[in-house]
Amino acid sequence: MPTCYRHPERETYISCQRCGRAICPDCMNDAAVGFQCPDCLAEGRKQTRSGRTAYGGLRPSRPGIVSMTLIGINAVVWLAIVASGGASSRLFELIGLLPEGRCQTDNGGWFPGIGDASTCDAINRGAHWVNGVADGAVWQLLTSTFSHIEVWHIGFNMLALWVLGPQLEIALGRARFLVLYLGSSLAGSVCVLWLSSENQVTLGASGAIFGLMGALLVIARKVHADMSGLLGWIGANALLTFIVPNVSWQGHVGGFVGGLLIAGILVYAPKARRTLVQSAGVAAVVVALLAATAVRMAMLG
């Protein structure tokens, strides 16, 4: 006859519904179904206090903190660019995404066909060399996603982040949401690096925003929610991507695909060893993006 795991002298036929260990009447605690042992009851209370989200992250007590912080960073960078001269400022040249370096003029133009700094300096027409990713300015892959010039551009992106961000923070937790945002940003930049003009500067948080849209789509699919409204919104933004001039469709597409992929890893990771699977999956995506960057840099160099 089985005995209680805490009181071996007591025989019992009752077992904990959570761990299966035999428990006596003194160790029985009412549960939603059957009874739980004291250890499982304590563990359940601990998890309730920690407030885990459905996908393993810590549930934020104040949703939106990460989103508001990201909005603040974007706003500060935008003010700094505008105050230092906008598109003609050296800050813009430093942090905007430029796949390949170019010979820049002081009035915002550039000399095509010049591929190195020494040749640019020899022109002596007020020109200077601006480094691109191929020249080693790899930080531009992320700094460009926090950079804007036009008011409408930063306004639209930050409004979308203010709407979408807190929802995803609640669903994923702060850390996983930040990973999703930065990973989508990087995916958008890598797509720009491969598919846009080598001498065209790209900037803006739109890739990350499209990544958040993709993540919401994955979560909605996971919980079997009505996706008609979300699909309509994504479709409208996709249409604007291709009809509004001077919009980087490469960044939008790359960010959206990156958001789908990273959110899929976070949401569909099995409960057993969830954090390990999520960490390994996201790390693999980042390594693949960095490898694609290295290959493109070698091609441009």
Side-chain angles (χ1 to χ4, degrees):
M1 182 177 291
T3 58
C4 176
Y5 82 102
R6 298 182 74 208
H7 304 96
E9 73 281 0
R10 300 180 184 179
E11 299 175 345
T12 179
Y13 286 102
I14 306 299
S15 60
C16 174
Q17 293 297 312
R18 187 170 182 177
C19 69
R21 290 180 293 192
I23 50 178
C24 66
D26 288 342
C27 296
M28 293 163 49
N29 296 278
D30 290 332
V33 177
F35 303 94
Q36 288 187 3
C37 67
D39 291 346
C40 288
L41 180 65
E43 180 64 23
R45 287 173 176 172
K46 181 179 178 181
Q47 292 181 355
T48 301
R49 286 195 298 269
S50 66
R52 291 282 176 180
T53 69
Y55 309 112
L58 289 174
R59 191 182 305 279
S61 57
R62 296 175 60 189
I65 294 296
V66 177
S67 301
M68 297 304 108
T69 301
L70 292 170
I71 290 174
I73 294 172
N74 277 274
V76 169
V77 175
W78 172 69
L79 289 173
I81 292 176
V82 172
S84 60
S88 60
S89 73
R90 294 301 174 90
L91 179 60
F92 170 80
E93 296 173 356
L94 179 66
I95 64 178
L97 176 54
L98 181 63
E100 191 174 34
R102 68 185 189 182
C103 189
Q104 184 84 28
T105 63
D106 291 337
N107 61 3
W110 56 284
F111 292 104
I114 299 177
D116 60 86
S118 58
T119 305
C120 180
D121 293 338
I123 293 177
N124 194 24
R125 298 178 184 175
H128 60 278
W129 183 256
V130 178
N131 286 324
V133 175
D135 303 296
V138 291
W139 61 83
Q140 295 177 356
L141 294 172
L142 281 181
T143 57
S144 61
T145 65
F146 290 90
S147 309
H148 302 80
I149 293 180
E150 295 86 356
V151 174
W152 67 266
H153 193 193
I154 187 173
F156 176 82
N157 283 337
M158 295 306 100
L159 176 61
L161 178 55
W162 182 71
V163 172
L164 300 175
Q167 301 180 54
L168 287 167
E169 284 188 52
I170 293 173
L172 300 174
R174 291 175 181 170
R176 286 165 174 77
F177 168 71
L178 184 59
V179 167
L180 169 68
Y181 185 91
L182 296 178
S184 299
S185 299
L186 181 61
S189 293
V190 172
C191 192
V192 168
L193 186 65
W194 273 87
L195 301 179
S196 67
S197 172
E198 291 86 352
N199 299 116
Q200 181 65 44
V201 180
T202 303
L203 71 168
S206 302
I209 300 304
F210 270 78
L212 301 187
M213 294 181 190
L216 276 180
L217 193 62
V218 171
I219 294 174
R221 176 68 179 81
K222 173 68 173 178
V223 301
H224 305 289
D226 182 8
M227 298 187 294
S228 56
L230 180 59
L231 288 172
W233 188 33
I234 293 175
N237 280 276
L239 181 63
L240 291 175
T241 296
F242 292 98
I243 64 175
V244 175
N246 300 321
V247 172
S248 174
W249 65 266
Q250 299 92 338
H252 291 188
V253 171
F256 184 73
V257 173
L260 285 175
L261 185 57
I262 294 173
I265 294 171
L266 297 176
V267 170
Y268 285 96
K271 290 184 178 181
R273 299 182 179 179
R274 170 180 282 160
T275 300
L276 177 61
V277 173
Q278 290 174 337
S279 300
V282 173
V285 172
V286 173
V287 169
L289 291 173
L290 294 178
T293 299
V295 171
R296 185 57 173 163
M297 288 176 65
M299 293 173 60
L300 293 174

